[in-house]
Amino acid sequence: MDRHDYGAIYDILLKNSSTCSLMVDLNGKIILFNDAYANLIGYTVEEIKQHDFRVYISDSAYDREIGFINQLTQGEKSDIKFRSSRVAKGGRVLQVDVTAILFRDADNQPEFVLKRIEDVTSTIQSEEIHKNQLHYLQTMLEQIPLSIYFKDKQSRFITNSLTHIKMLGGESFEDVSGKTDFDFFDPIHAQQAFDDEQYIMATGKTISKEESMTLKNGSIRWGQTIKTILRDTNGEVTGTYGITSDITEIKLAEEKLNQLNEQLSAKNKELESTLEELSNTQNKLIFSEKMAALGNLIGGIAHEINTPLGAIKASSTNINDVVEKINVDLPWLINHASTDEINWLFNLINDSDARDISVFSKDERQKKRDLTALLEKNNIENAISIADTIVTLRLNKTDEEYLEFLSLPNAQILLQMLKVLFSLKRNANNIYISVEKASHVVRALKNYIHKNNSGTKESANLVETIETVLILTANMLKNNKIEVITQFEKVPLLFCRQDEICQVWTNLITNAVQAMDQGGTLEIGIKSKDDEHILVWFKDSGSGICPETAKHIFEPYFTTKETGIGTGMGLDISRQIVENHHGRIYFETTTDQGTTFFVEIPLNQDQKLPN
């Protein structure tokens, strides 16, 4: 058949048909097609004509359709219907029903096949969705661990989840179908459920609540229930449906948890009381240890105060003697001395140095010899005594000025008066120095026994805390012939409990002195270890700590001292104090070379320094 004949057939069979139709040869190649088919697959007529392409999803799909054509050509049937697919332009897959009709020529030989194609994609998808929905619903009802139930207007069960059926005591849907809550629950719960469902159908509102459910066998279950209205496809009310989550185990756990919380609360109160009692005991222990350490130092502190008091008493007696002499000399000075002599007297007393000289230095001895020679050369009487007075007073005049003064008529008398006034000046200076020394000891003692009753930390200079303890232990250090070497760098102020920190320094210094056994060197240093920590160390030149003792050094009540000398609590309390300041205390020791204790305290404490 030529093209013209195909055109005529096209006009008859395809052109005016609204059905998607096409003609293919016996090998499946497209001969003619109508616009409906072109629109279905999305290609234009020109695109189809210019390209030798197939719109099958795979080669096997193409071969399958060729197989159907072969069945027609080899059999007696003139048509065959089958389901297939097409790939439209853009890659969208279409599901189609194909009706293939075989046309023969005048000799009854197969000539071409007419295919009529119907797009059934949406129908298949709809059927598949419906099928899947039913499958999903069935799966949900069988497997989801929730009580799901549908009821009619009389609150009779229509369908239920397997979980709900088993909760009611059944095994299959037939065990609950058509029954109500009155068949499974006590009357009170069943009636409440019925009333809720009637309310839902009357108002269209949803109910959500936590409820207790008592079954007829007496067991109690708890559920978190939500119920709402059930309508058919036309929107007519047909009943209700609900979902109940079994929270019985949760409720039991809550009750158990409440009981445990009550028990825990009681335990916490008991623990708080115990901790408070323990804290009070610990504070008493720390304070008691501090007082014990202070008791060991009190003799030395008393000596440090008595020494300046004795100096003050002696200087006061001397001042009384000087005042009596002044009562005699002052009238003479007023009645007999010239203005120049009075000016010389007060100029020299102001120039004198009141610091005590117990022994002349080499330079001072040489100065005395030179002055004596000068005075003897100029025929000055009492040259040796005058030279001794000048050096003792530490006068700083030229030779010419000394000779000018000694040429005055009453120079010898003025020198005696000068010695009296100088004695008054020196004794007054001794009193001042002694008062300052006693004041330092009292201030150090006050700082040491200071107790911060609020328990809060306060700003403190760690260098000053060490110096406070050194003042209080000065007599012990001196009596034990301990040389103290300090290396104090400038460090930031630290928020701490100052009285407790002083106690740590006292313990470490006392232990170091005892470790050196009559003589040695104690090095004390402080520096910023880094931007976040301050490091303090105490290095003694003692015999070191043996390995066995080192294992127990921070254990409470462990001591190497004789009975009655040590409690064994000093280092343990020191460790507690340092750890309460978020720091750490540790040591390094070498046999026959000594021990160094390190205290490392972080700057970042509970509080910040004020602006």
Side-chain angles (χ1 to χ4, degrees):
M1 184 179 290
D2 57 23
R3 268 291 174 193
H4 176 73
D5 294 332
Y6 279 131
I9 294 173
Y10 171 75
D11 288 338
I12 296 172
L13 299 177
L14 305 179
K15 183 176 182 181
N16 298 319
S17 175
S18 60
T19 303
C20 297
S21 302
L22 70 159
M23 295 168 57
V24 298
D25 61 20
L26 300 181
N27 293 319
K29 184 176 181 181
I30 297 175
I31 301 172
L32 293 171
F33 53 90
N34 62 5
D35 292 339
Y37 178 72
N39 293 334
L40 174 67
I41 62 175
Y43 290 99
T44 66
V45 174
E46 292 303 319
E47 286 176 326
I48 295 174
K49 287 180 178 180
Q50 292 175 7
H51 296 85
D52 183 15
F53 69 98
R54 295 188 306 230
V55 288
Y56 300 99
I57 194 169
S58 64
D59 289 342
S60 61
Y62 171 74
D63 293 338
R64 181 168 173 268
E65 292 208 18
I66 293 298
F68 287 125
I69 293 177
N70 291 336
Q71 289 182 32
L72 289 175
T73 57
Q74 296 172 10
E76 296 180 355
K77 294 174 62 175
S78 61
D79 63 279
I80 189 171
K81 189 172 182 178
F82 56 88
R83 179 158 289 177
S84 185
S85 61
R86 293 291 185 272
V87 180
K89 189 174 183 179
R92 188 167 70 93
V93 177
L94 304 175
Q95 300 297 326
V96 295
D97 281 344
V98 180
T99 302
I101 304 171
L102 178 65
F103 284 81
R104 298 177 181 272
D105 59 14
D107 298 327
N108 199 34
Q109 294 297 314
E111 186 172 6
F112 67 88
V113 175
L114 173 67
K115 289 184 178 180
R116 295 189 182 278
I117 297 176
E118 179 183 0
D119 183 2
V120 294
T121 304
S122 60
T123 300
I124 292 174
Q125 289 177 342
S126 178
E127 292 174 351
E128 189 67 24
I129 290 172
H130 181 67
K131 180 181 177 182
N132 287 337
Q133 287 175 336
L134 291 175
H135 174 71
Y136 297 152
L137 177 60
Q138 187 64 31
T139 300
M140 180 181 68
L141 292 176
E142 290 179 356
Q143 298 184 14
I144 196 167
L146 294 172
S147 291
I148 303 173
Y149 39 90
F150 295 84
K151 297 182 178 181
D152 62 17
K153 288 184 176 182
Q154 286 73 42
S155 292
R156 292 175 299 206
F157 291 117
I158 301 172
T159 189
N160 307 65
S161 66
L162 186 58
T163 297
H164 188 240
I165 293 170
K166 290 184 176 181
M167 192 271 285
L168 297 177
E171 294 294 334
S172 64
F173 174 67
E174 287 73 18
D175 295 332
V176 299
S177 178
K179 296 181 180 180
T180 69
D181 286 332
F182 287 95
D183 296 306
F184 303 101
F185 296 99
D186 73 326
I188 296 176
H189 174 70
Q191 186 61 51
Q192 182 62 57
F194 179 82
D195 293 342
D196 287 345
E197 289 151 8
Q198 294 303 311
Y199 171 80
I200 290 170
M201 289 185 287
T203 63
K205 294 183 177 179
T206 297
I207 289 179
S208 177
K209 65 179 181 178
E210 183 180 284
E211 58 182 350
S212 172
M213 303 170 290
T214 304
L215 294 166
K216 283 195 170 183
N217 62 10
S219 63
I220 299 175
R221 309 297 296 178
W222 281 87
Q224 182 66 48
T225 297
I226 181 169
K227 291 182 181 180
T228 191
I229 197 166
L230 181 64
R231 301 178 187 273
D232 61 16
T233 55
N234 297 319
E236 295 295 326
V237 176
T238 60
T240 60
Y241 70 94
I243 300 175
T244 298
S245 175
D246 191 334
I247 59 171
T248 304
E249 298 302 323
I250 295 176
K251 294 296 291 185
L252 292 176
E254 286 179 355
E255 292 179 6
K256 184 66 175 177
L257 181 60
N258 290 334
Q259 294 176 359
L260 291 175
N261 282 336
E262 291 177 2
Q263 295 174 6
L264 181 61
S265 178
K267 290 290 184 182
N268 282 340
K269 290 181 180 179
E270 183 180 347
L271 181 60
E272 287 175 2
S273 176
T274 303
L275 288 175
E276 183 177 358
E277 184 178 349
L278 180 62
S279 178
N280 292 335
T281 302
Q282 185 182 39
N283 289 336
K284 290 178 181 178
L285 181 62
I286 291 175
F287 189 72
S288 184
E289 179 68 18
K290 179 166 71 172
M291 291 299 100
L294 184 60
N296 293 331
L297 299 175
I298 204 69
I301 295 172
H303 182 272
E304 290 297 306
I305 294 177
N306 283 333
T307 298
L309 289 179
I312 292 171
K313 182 178 180 181
S315 296
S316 298
T317 301
N318 293 337
I319 288 174
N320 288 331
D321 294 341
V322 170
V323 170
E324 290 182 5
K325 293 180 180 180
I326 290 176
N327 287 335
V328 176
D329 294 339
L330 187 59
W332 182 91
L333 185 68
I334 295 173
N335 294 324
H336 298 89
S338 66
T339 302
D340 285 345
E341 289 174 332
I342 292 173
N343 289 338
W344 265 106
L345 176 63
F346 285 102
N347 179 272
L348 292 175
I349 193 63
N350 288 333
D351 189 46
S352 65
D353 189 340
R355 288 176 296 171
D356 189 23
I357 300 178
S358 56
V359 179
F360 286 151
S361 66
K362 182 178 179 181
D363 292 340
E364 289 167 337
R365 290 195 299 272
Q366 183 61 46
K367 182 177 181 180
K368 181 179 178 180
R369 287 193 292 270
D370 293 343
L371 276 173
T372 300
L374 174 67
L375 299 178
E376 289 176 345
K377 181 180 178 181
N378 288 275
N379 300 316
I380 304 296
E381 295 181 4
N382 303 318
I384 296 176
S385 177
I386 293 173
D388 183 79
T389 300
I390 290 174
V391 174
T392 300
L393 271 61
R394 292 180 177 174
L395 297 177
N396 190 24
K397 302 294 185 181
T398 63
D399 292 345
E400 291 75 12
E401 288 175 319
Y402 289 133
L403 292 175
E404 181 184 349
F405 167 69
L406 293 171
S407 68
L408 295 173
N410 297 308
Q412 296 287 345
I413 299 174
L414 292 175
L415 273 175
Q416 294 302 317
M417 295 182 67
L418 180 62
K419 291 171 69 176
V420 171
L421 293 174
F422 176 77
S423 176
L424 178 64
K425 183 176 181 180
R426 173 172 289 171
N427 281 288
N429 184 67
N430 288 342
I431 290 175
Y432 175 79
I433 293 173
S434 297
V435 168
E436 280 293 302
K437 184 175 181 180
S439 177
H440 287 163
V441 175
V442 171
R443 189 181 305 114
L445 184 60
K446 181 180 178 182
N447 289 338
Y448 183 83
I449 65 175
H450 166 72
K451 177 67 176 175
N452 185 351
N453 292 323
S454 67
T456 58
K457 296 177 181 178
E458 50 197 352
S459 176
N461 185 320
L462 290 189
V463 171
E464 291 181 359
T465 62
I466 296 175
E467 290 175 342
T468 292
V469 176
L470 285 175
I471 291 173
L472 298 180
T473 56
N475 192 67
M476 177 180 65
L477 294 166
K478 180 171 60 178
N479 289 341
N480 286 279
K481 301 175 184 177
I482 305 299
E483 178 187 4
V484 178
I485 301 173
T486 58
Q487 302 176 34
F488 295 157
E489 295 184 6
K490 185 176 181 180
V491 295
L493 296 178
L494 177 73
F495 256 106
C496 62
R497 296 180 184 87
Q498 183 172 326
D499 56 326
E500 294 183 1
I501 292 296
C502 285
Q503 189 172 351
V504 174
W505 305 154
T506 304
N507 289 336
L508 295 179
I509 290 175
T510 302
N511 286 351
V513 171
Q514 293 171 348
M516 286 185 279
D517 190 21
Q518 295 297 315
T521 301
L522 173 60
E523 297 181 19
I524 306 175
I526 184 170
K527 68 177 182 178
S528 294
K529 182 180 180 182
D530 48 44
D531 293 338
E532 298 179 357
H533 297 83
I534 294 176
L535 182 66
V536 186
W537 66 92
F538 298 78
K539 181 178 181 181
D540 66 60
S541 59
S543 58
I545 304 173
C546 70
E548 184 60 31
T549 300
K551 296 178 184 177
H552 308 285
I553 202 73
F554 290 113
E555 292 180 4
Y557 306 110
F558 177 79
T559 179
T560 58
K561 303 180 182 70
E562 296 179 5
T563 304
I565 297 179
T567 65
M569 293 296 294
L571 285 177
D572 175 56
I573 288 176
S574 298
R575 177 188 58 78
Q576 293 181 46
I577 292 173
V578 173
E579 289 179 354
N580 286 339
H581 286 79
H582 315 295
R584 67 188 185 109
I585 181 172
Y586 55 99
F587 66 92
E588 294 176 357
T589 185
T590 303
T591 304
D592 298 328
Q593 293 187 26
T595 302
T596 304
F597 275 86
F598 299 91
V599 176
E600 186 179 312
I601 305 178
L603 287 169
N604 185 18
Q605 294 288 312
D606 297 339
Q607 297 174 318
K608 294 182 179 179
L609 289 172
N611 294 328

